[in-house]
Amino acid sequence: MPDAWDEDTKTVTGDQVDAARRLSSGRRDRAYVIVIAGPNVGEMFKLDDVQVVGRGANAQVRLSDSEISRNHARLVLEAGGVFVEDLKSTNGTFVNGDPITYRELEDGDKIQVGTTTILKFSYHDDLDEEFQRHMYDAALRDSLTGSYNQKYFLDRLESELAFAERHKFHLALVLFDIDHFKRVNDAHGHPAGDAVLRELAAGVLESVRKEDVFARYGGEEFAVLSRGLDTAGAVRFGERLRGWVEGHIFAPEGTPIPVTVSVGVVSFPDSPIQDPAAFLKTADEALYRAKGLGRNRVCAPRDFQFR
């Protein structure tokens, strides 16, 4: 077997050379902030004109940190530079550890908003942006379904429950599991099972709100965290989800595969649980009660009564 160092050098085409030149000569003149600490870690925002940083629905750089004000700060592109301005936030805005009201940013500056979220300001080109987004997706998303992964879900569950408790806000957890999924794999093969998971996840992603957290919690188990839903609302959402799955035709190889899900829900403060592990356990118990009652149904905590 010849040594790899002795192999002939591969010929590079003119088109490949041109493409490489375009990538390597890209100017790093696009302003971005990247979340390097906090619930949205890894997320990247391109800056354009004036953008508000906050947790409010109208913020362009929207962050899910309960310590951040709705309109916390703003980033302004003007006079050939980028400036950050604190918008009289509750917990302040800091650049490289110093409190600020208005300041011009330099490449590499770190902007702290609130007490836990830190943004890194920098300039990028096309290649930088593509690489950063790939790294973000790889770190936070499940590679098969495109939903968030378990680690991200558990981190968000902790922060969202703390936010709901602090602000007396409703937070629902909808946990669902594909019924008899092993039979799908056994009868149709794992590639077909993977196709079912991808198709189901794509359908759920289309139905949830942008601010909801949809994650793959286990092999065939998924979770949705949704602000503003009480238990009755979570049950209705779970029922819509269950009905869509039952009525959808999954046919990855041309042969229809019947698929149903069992759903368990819990909502704070209807269930006054402040511990994330206990909150998750309550939803899990409701899910397994749904399975025990025959599957393809939605269950809430035993003590919940519709009003």
Side-chain angles (χ1 to χ4, degrees):
M1 182 175 181
D3 192 293
W5 291 100
D6 296 328
E7 294 179 358
D8 292 338
T9 303
K10 294 181 180 179
T11 301
V12 179
T13 67
D15 288 342
Q16 289 172 320
V17 171
D18 289 342
R21 284 174 178 166
R22 286 195 299 272
L23 286 174
S24 62
S25 63
R27 292 196 306 163
R28 293 168 57 87
D29 56 0
R30 301 178 185 180
Y32 293 84
V33 287
I34 302 169
V35 185
I36 61 173
N40 294 77
V41 65
E43 196 160 0
M44 184 178 193
F45 299 90
K46 183 179 180 181
L47 304 183
D48 184 23
D49 295 328
V50 179
Q51 290 177 267
V52 172
V53 178
R55 59 177 174 81
N58 296 322
Q60 291 80 30
V61 180
R62 191 175 185 189
L63 305 168
S64 56
D65 186 339
S66 62
E67 303 299 331
I68 294 174
S69 300
R70 289 180 177 84
N71 297 306
H72 192 102
R74 66 177 177 178
L75 298 160
V76 183
L77 277 71
E78 62 179 20
V82 180
F83 299 79
V84 59
E85 179 184 10
D86 183 71
L87 297 178
K88 298 181 180 179
S89 62
T90 301
N91 292 313
T93 301
F94 304 80
V95 175
N96 300 330
D98 298 325
I100 62 99
T101 54
Y102 189 80
R103 175 166 166 173
E104 184 173 7
L105 294 170
E106 296 182 3
D107 196 352
D109 278 350
K110 295 178 176 60
I111 310 161
Q112 180 178 329
V113 285
T115 59
T116 59
T117 293
I118 300 175
L119 312 172
K120 181 181 179 181
F121 168 74
S122 58
Y123 291 99
H124 294 276
D125 59 21
D126 288 340
L127 189 58
D128 292 329
E129 180 182 0
E130 181 180 352
F131 175 75
Q132 184 62 39
R133 294 197 185 283
H134 174 76
M135 293 298 292
Y136 172 71
D137 286 341
L140 302 184
R141 293 195 178 272
D142 172 59
S143 59
L144 177 65
T145 64
S147 59
Y148 286 113
N149 59 30
Q150 185 189 81
K151 181 182 184 306
Y152 180 82
F153 162 71
L154 292 175
D155 289 344
R156 285 294 300 272
L157 173 61
E158 182 174 357
S159 63
E160 290 290 328
L161 195 55
F163 174 86
E165 193 278 329
R166 184 176 298 108
H167 297 279
K168 309 305 177 188
F169 209 70
H170 279 104
L171 175 70
L173 170 57
V174 179
L175 202 62
F176 62 96
D177 185 277
I178 299 178
D179 297 325
H180 300 301
F181 187 67
K182 185 176 183 299
R183 296 179 186 176
V184 175
N185 284 328
D186 291 346
H188 303 276
H190 286 278
D194 287 348
V196 167
L197 291 172
R198 282 194 298 268
E199 194 167 340
L200 184 148
V204 177
L205 280 168
E206 289 182 358
S207 67
V208 298
R209 302 171 302 176
K210 183 179 180 180
E211 60 266 31
D212 292 336
V213 178
F214 170 53
R216 185 181 182 189
Y217 182 65
E220 63 269 18
E221 191 170 9
F222 295 86
V224 178
L225 270 176
S226 186
R227 285 185 183 181
L229 279 186
D230 59 10
T231 308
V235 169
R236 288 191 291 269
F237 172 78
E239 183 57 35
R240 287 197 304 272
L241 173 67
R242 184 208 62 77
W244 175 81
V245 174
E246 184 181 33
H248 185 75
I249 299 174
F250 294 88
E253 297 177 349
T255 301
I257 300 174
V259 178
T260 62
V261 294
S262 297
V263 185
V265 307
V266 63
S267 180
F268 178 89
D270 294 342
S271 295
I273 305 168
Q274 300 177 21
D275 177 66
F279 195 68
L280 181 59
K281 181 180 179 182
T282 302
D284 198 48
E285 289 171 348
L287 166 61
Y288 277 90
R289 190 155 58 90
K291 286 185 173 293
L293 291 173
R295 294 181 168 82
N296 191 24
R297 66 189 66 219
V298 181
C299 282
R302 290 180 181 274
D303 58 355
F304 173 72
Q305 298 292 326
F306 282 98
R307 291 182 282 275

